[in-house]
């Protein structure tokens, strides 16, 4: 009881510290009408996986989406027709977390970079609504719904070796799919919060380690080690066939014509993508949060 009160007290102090108006918690999310509970039930799910066909993407605001990012986003509507396509803005993300995960809001508000905030937001869409999450610099090449019909939780390896691996190579959080309310996401969010408590120097730690792919892989490895079988990690050639590690052919001849950091024009992009006939999705690795161009 006492520790419960203490937690509340600390949460309130953190909120004030971060300069949040608590009243904002109660603002209605702008598109909540799309996602009332009836809607969740009505929405078609993919096979026995329970994954609803909702594609979640996020960017600062609708207004700031570049022509190229809009073209990439359109690829999703073309690939996955009849699915719901969401573009969550920073404002939507904060409202969504405040409304459905108020315990997470102090952590969210205190994260000091947009990329860390969007990492947290991604996990909460999948936890609450389920569906497919795709980074704004991913391009859908062809429909992959049939691949999502068996497992409740889906990830993809990235081409190249870096930092750590799960089932073959690095797993990015740039493309993920899940049924709603999957226990994995709550475990991951709790791990992130716990890690932050332990690591006061979070501001100088790379986002991969604190909220991104590295902490995701820690939880995923734990999940697999626990013997769980409802998860699938697809090989890189399907969903993330080149990366900043292999672009320009650093160990993968197929990636010879690819560039990252937003350095390909439309023709170069087409030539790069053509080298991966097996791919359903490519991640362009614009790394707009790290100086790249979107
Ligand atoms: C790990 O990779 C192997 C070989 O590609 C595959 O058969 C297996 O299903 C993968 N495991 C998971 C959990 O996806």
């Amino acid at each position: 009881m006492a520790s419960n009160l203490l937690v509340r007290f600390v949460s309130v102090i953190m909120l004030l510290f971060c300069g949040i108006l608590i009243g904002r918690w109660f603002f209605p999310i702008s598109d909540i009408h799309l996602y009332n509970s009836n809607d969740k039930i009505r929405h078609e799910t993919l096979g026995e996986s329970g994954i609803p066909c909702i594609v979640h993407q996020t960017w600062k605001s609708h207004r700031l989406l570049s022509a190229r990012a809009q073209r990439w986003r359109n690829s999703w509507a073309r690939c996955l027709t009849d699915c719901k396509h969401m573009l969550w803005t920073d404002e939507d993300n904060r409202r969504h977390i405040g409304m459905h995960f108020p315990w997470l809001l102090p952590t969210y508000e205190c994260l000091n970079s947009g990329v860390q905030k969007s990492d947290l937001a991604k996990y909460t869409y999948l936890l609450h609504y389920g569906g497919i999450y795709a980074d704004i610099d991913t391009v859908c090449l062809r429909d992959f719904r049939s691949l999502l019909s068996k497992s409740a939780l889906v990830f993809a390896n990235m081409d190249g070796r870096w930092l750590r691996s799960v089932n073959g190579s690095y797993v990015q959080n740039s493309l993920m799919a899940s049924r709603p309310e999957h226990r994995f996401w709550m475990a991951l969010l709790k791990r992130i919060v716990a890690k932050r408590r332990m690591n006061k120097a979070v501001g100088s730690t790379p986002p991969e380690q604190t909220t991104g792919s590295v902490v995701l892989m820690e939880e995923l490895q734990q999940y697999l080690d626990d013997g769980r079988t409802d998860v699938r990690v697809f090989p890189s050639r399907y969903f993330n066939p080149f990366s900043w590690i292999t672009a320009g052919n650093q160990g993968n001849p197929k990636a010879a014509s690819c560039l990252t950091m937003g350095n390909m024009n439309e023709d170069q992009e087409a030539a790069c993508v053509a080298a991966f006939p097996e791919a359903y999705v490519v991640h362009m690795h614009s790394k707009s949060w790290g100086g790249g161009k979107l």
Side-chain angles (χ1 to χ4, degrees):
M1 181 58 105
S3 74
N4 194 7
L5 279 174
L6 184 67
V7 168
R8 280 172 187 230
F9 179 73
V10 169
S11 301
V12 168
I13 295 297
M14 281 180 79
L15 275 173
L16 293 174
F17 188 70
C18 295
I20 305 312
L21 294 170
I22 293 173
R24 291 251 192 177
W25 286 15
F26 302 105
F27 267 51
I29 188 167
S30 54
D31 53 13
I32 195 70
H33 61 277
L34 290 174
Y35 289 106
N36 59 42
S37 52
N38 292 338
D39 188 74
K40 264 208 263 183
I41 292 159
R42 200 176 65 230
H43 214 280
E44 170 211 1
T45 58
L46 306 172
E48 60 207 63
S49 68
I51 300 175
C53 203
I54 306 169
V55 179
H56 303 278
Q57 299 194 285
T58 183
W59 190 242
K60 293 180 190 86
S61 77
H62 292 270
R63 212 162 27 85
L64 296 174
L65 209 55
S66 70
R68 171 159 53 180
Q70 189 60 55
R71 177 165 56 79
W72 290 344
R73 181 165 152 71
N74 292 343
S75 75
W76 286 92
R78 269 201 309 277
C79 256
L80 303 179
T81 47
D82 313 320
C83 290
K84 207 161 261 177
H85 293 269
M86 294 294 302
L87 184 65
W88 296 80
T89 65
D90 286 356
E91 190 68 12
D92 295 331
N93 289 344
R94 199 179 46 70
R95 285 180 192 166
H96 162 71
I97 290 173
M99 177 171 285
H100 299 293
F101 307 96
W103 58 272
L104 191 60
L105 196 58
T107 302
Y108 178 80
E109 290 291 357
C110 289
L111 289 170
N112 44 17
S113 75
V115 64
Q116 291 177 314
K117 285 186 172 169
S118 71
D119 281 340
L120 233 55
K122 299 173 189 188
Y123 309 139
T124 65
Y125 319 140
L126 293 177
L127 173 56
H128 190 76
Y129 301 111
I132 298 162
Y133 170 80
D135 269 1
I136 206 76
D137 62 343
T138 57
V139 181
C140 188
L141 306 174
R142 55 204 175 101
D143 194 342
F144 55 91
R145 271 175 275 198
S146 60
L147 293 183
L148 303 188
S149 64
K150 294 267 189 289
S151 307
L153 195 56
V154 176
F155 298 98
N157 283 130
M158 180 185 83
D159 189 40
R161 301 205 65 82
W162 193 55
L163 289 177
R164 62 179 292 155
S165 64
V166 174
N167 210 40
S169 68
Y170 196 77
V171 175
Q172 281 200 306
N173 66 6
S174 53
L175 182 73
M176 312 177 280
S178 170
R179 69 162 167 74
E181 308 292 342
H182 196 290
R183 58 188 292 162
F184 176 84
W185 302 112
M186 190 56 91
L188 175 61
L189 291 170
K190 286 183 175 163
R191 180 184 289 265
I192 290 168
V193 172
K195 236 183 152 175
R196 264 186 64 81
R197 280 208 195 101
M198 279 174 9
N199 185 5
K200 297 265 190 274
V202 70
S204 58
T205 311
E208 297 95 322
Q209 314 272 356
T210 53
T211 54
S213 299
V214 171
V215 64
L216 175 84
M217 280 186 279
E218 286 168 10
E219 192 61 45
L220 180 55
Q221 191 60 63
Q222 173 80 62
Y223 194 75
L224 290 170
D225 290 348
D226 287 347
R228 308 222 172 252
T229 55
D230 64 342
V231 57
R232 181 80 166 96
V233 184
F234 282 100
S236 61
R237 64 179 187 278
Y238 288 167
F239 294 108
N240 204 344
F242 75 94
S243 67
W244 69 94
I245 300 156
T246 58
N249 184 19
Q250 330 248 337
N252 181 0
K254 285 188 179 173
S257 58
C258 300
L259 301 169
T260 59
M261 303 292 281
N263 287 326
M264 287 189 284
N265 63 31
E266 210 169 327
D267 291 342
Q268 290 170 312
E269 197 184 295
C272 163
V273 165
F276 306 106
E278 282 185 289
Y280 295 91
V281 173
V282 293
H283 184 192
M284 293 299 178
H285 300 279
S286 291
K287 219 174 174 182
S288 55
W289 50 273
K293 297 189 283 281
L294 188 77

